Amino acid sequence: MRRFRITHNTYYNFSGSVILGTHYLRLRPREGHTLHIESSTLTITPQPTLRWRHDVEGNSVAIASFSQPTSQLSILSDVIIQQYNEDPLDFVVEQQAVDYPFLYEEDDRVLLQPYMSDPPIESDKWLTDWIGAIWQPGEAIQTYTLMQRICSHIYQTFAYRIREEPGVQSAEQTIALKAGSCRDFAQLFMSAARHLGLAARFVSGYLHAPPTIDNFGATHAWAEIYVPGAGWVGFDPTIGQLVGADHIAVAVARLPESVPPVSGTFSGAASSVLDVGVWINECHD
């Protein structure tokens, strides 16, 4: 078991007084048999009325409602977790899904169908061609090996870029640019998996990694594929690896735009500046 402390600070500074609308906060990691929350504090200024709920995906969402004008919104999240996902390869795939291609069982397919299709596009020949350079139908391959090959290919052939602007590039844009952010790579990986008939979902969370000049601290994104017997298996094309103990999931969704860490509105004539700081440290005490 490993312990991590996650500090996620969000500041909105406004040029004048504004009225804050309802804000939705997805900052609490997803608990389960591989992750336990030891402590969690959420400090918000101005003080809101705070309600918690689980959304349709089972993500924890804090709903903050405000009553007084302000020129700054401060959201400070401090969480300590116990992470037990130390051996991500410790799973057994059901026999019918070991080799690709395979079909999901009918009952599973009913539940997985929303995760098996991207929004309609006029043509996906560009995606077919891109996958064709990685794997050709007729080549014998195991399901896990195929997914890891696509994950590694994105890491090895695309340039990572930090993008401050909101939104996610389409898979076609990322292929054309040969570059993107972690969320863009996750979207491309999901599109490829869905094109191959597999169920895929987007994951927003954190990655414990040494800070770099380009990335001192930030949220992270990757994708999960549903593999019978193994369940939802995480792949991180930004680093080309299977998701493990250094990954901390906060929210999952069918579409990337569904789970921003903080979302909300304000009214007033003022402009706003956003400042975010994220620190993930392993606890050794």
Side-chain angles (χ1 to χ4, degrees):
M1 184 268 288
R2 298 167 66 189
R3 297 170 66 242
F4 294 97
R5 181 175 184 176
I6 308 157
T7 305
H8 186 156
N9 297 342
T10 305
Y11 301 94
Y12 287 94
N13 290 290
F14 303 97
S15 59
S17 183
V18 300
I19 300 295
L20 296 171
T22 302
H23 279 62
Y24 301 87
L25 317 178
R26 298 171 182 86
L27 301 170
R28 182 182 175 89
R30 289 173 62 89
E31 290 189 89
H33 59 275
T34 61
L35 188 151
H36 298 163
I37 294 178
E38 185 176 310
S39 66
S40 176
T41 59
L42 187 59
T43 306
I44 304 173
T45 306
Q47 186 171 348
T49 298
L50 199 63
R51 294 177 291 115
W52 289 88
R53 68 173 173 85
H54 285 101
D55 66 14
V56 69
E57 297 277 8
N59 304 312
S60 289
V61 184
I63 305 171
S65 303
F66 301 89
S67 59
Q68 68 243 47
T70 187
S71 59
Q72 184 187 68
L73 171 60
S74 169
I75 303 169
L76 311 180
S77 173
D78 191 3
V79 181
I80 295 177
I81 67 161
Q82 300 171 1
Q83 173 65 280
Y84 292 86
N85 188 23
E86 297 183 19
D87 186 4
L89 280 171
D90 184 21
F91 58 77
V92 177
V93 179
E94 290 183 6
Q95 187 60 41
Q96 80 274 11
V98 169
D99 297 317
Y100 179 84
F102 71 92
L103 294 176
Y104 291 113
E105 297 289 344
E106 184 176 351
D107 287 349
D108 288 344
R109 193 175 184 87
V110 170
L111 298 174
L112 294 173
Q113 192 60 49
Y115 304 96
M116 297 176 66
S117 59
D118 277 331
I121 54 177
E122 291 184 5
S123 172
D124 59 2
K125 182 180 183 301
W126 46 270
L127 187 55
T128 302
D129 292 344
W130 182 76
I131 294 173
I134 304 171
W135 172 80
Q136 283 287 328
E139 176 192 350
I141 194 168
Q142 292 191 342
T143 303
Y144 166 78
T145 303
L146 176 57
M147 290 296 96
Q148 183 55 45
R149 185 184 293 184
I150 294 172
C151 179
S152 298
H153 183 79
I154 295 172
Y155 168 69
Q156 292 167 359
T157 61
F158 286 70
Y160 174 74
R161 298 284 185 267
I162 296 176
R163 293 197 306 107
E164 299 295 343
E165 63 272 20
V168 180
Q169 293 174 178
S170 68
E172 184 176 14
Q173 288 174 312
T174 302
I175 290 172
L177 294 170
K178 286 285 186 180
S181 66
C182 59
R183 61 187 186 275
D184 302 322
F185 293 161
Q187 174 64 67
L188 173 57
F189 183 85
M190 289 195 306
S191 294
R194 290 169 176 173
H195 186 79
L196 293 167
L198 300 177
R201 68 183 184 183
F202 182 85
V203 187
S204 174
Y206 305 103
L207 174 64
H208 173 250
T212 65
I213 295 175
D214 294 329
N215 189 7
F216 181 76
T219 56
H220 193 54
W222 57 95
E224 291 180 340
I225 307 299
Y226 189 80
V227 182
W232 289 101
V233 180
F235 294 86
D236 186 350
T238 301
I239 61 175
Q241 297 177 13
L242 194 68
V243 167
D246 287 320
H247 291 78
I248 302 158
V250 172
V252 300
R254 186 175 69 89
L255 300 174
E257 54 267 29
S258 301
V259 285
V262 177
S263 62
T265 61
F266 71 90
S267 59
S271 59
S272 65
V273 176
L274 171 63
D275 185 23
V276 178
V278 176
W279 298 266
I280 303 102
N281 298 298
E282 188 163 3
C283 303
H284 297 287
D285 54 310

